[in-house]
Amino acid sequence: MLSFPYKALRVLILSGARRNLRQYAEPFQRASCRVAIICTGAEKDTDLGNDHGFRFHHVPSGNPEEAFADLVKAWRDIDVVIKLDDLTDIEDLLLRHTDSMPYPNDWGMPVITVEEGAVYRFFKKTESPVPDRPGRAECRVLTFLSLKGNDAVRMIEVSSED
């Protein structure tokens, strides 16, 4: 058995108006992490359902400051960011938050970008967004790429079994 040290992380998922979000959040929830989703779509339009156990922030286009401030107030910091879509305003807030901290994040705050057939660690512009459908193969590697000090692996190509 191969195991890695994994603390209860604070995971932020950035999404446009997607329906299928559960598949990205549940791997972290199963690992006892706290998960927040900032999404431009309404919660009722997602597959999360009632009592999903995630912090959900609906952010209409152009005004993410309040949701981000609420999240940072509750958590103080963010350990991992999962980027499904380009939400430039929130990415700018993340960079400002990182710069304002008096100490670096001990986990390193990796930003993991999910694209069609590939998952990248650290900031990368989303060039080919992931199709919004359930059962994405890319979800299986999210927790692995979020491991502390996992700087050697910058990208994992994922083949779909469809």
Side-chain angles (χ1 to χ4, degrees), residues 55-145:
R55 292 179 73 92
F56 188 92
H57 297 276
H58 172 242
V59 178
S61 59
N63 190 15
E65 291 87 3
E66 187 177 329
F68 189 79
D70 179 57
L71 180 61
V72 170
K73 181 179 178 184
W75 285 1
R76 293 196 173 90
D77 204 358
I78 297 164
D79 297 313
V80 177
V81 178
I82 306 297
K83 188 173 114 176
L84 304 177
D85 298 297
D86 277 330
L87 299 177
T88 308
D89 294 342
I90 296 172
E91 292 174 34
D92 291 342
L93 291 170
L94 275 168
L95 291 173
R96 279 190 269 154
H97 167 72
T98 302
D99 291 343
S100 73
M101 297 298 285
Y103 51 87
N105 181 302
D106 67 336
W107 198 258
M109 198 176 88
V111 176
I112 300 168
T113 303
V114 180
E115 289 191 359
E116 176 74 44
V119 183
Y120 299 87
R121 183 178 163 96
F122 293 107
F123 280 106
K124 180 183 183 301
K125 184 167 179 60
T126 305
E127 295 173 7
S128 55
V130 180
D132 188 15
R133 65 175 189 256
R136 301 294 318 155
E138 293 86 358
C139 301
R140 291 177 287 188
V141 299
L142 294 178
T143 53
F144 173 72
L145 278 179

Side-chain angles (χ1 to χ4, degrees), residues 8-12 28-29 31-36 53-55 74-77 79-80:
L9 300 173
R10 298 160 293 189
V11 179
L12 172 61
F28 293 102
Q29 190 179 46
S32 300
C33 297
R34 292 183 279 174
V35 178
F54 311 120
R55 292 179 73 92
W75 285 1
R76 293 196 173 90
D77 204 358
D79 297 313
V80 177

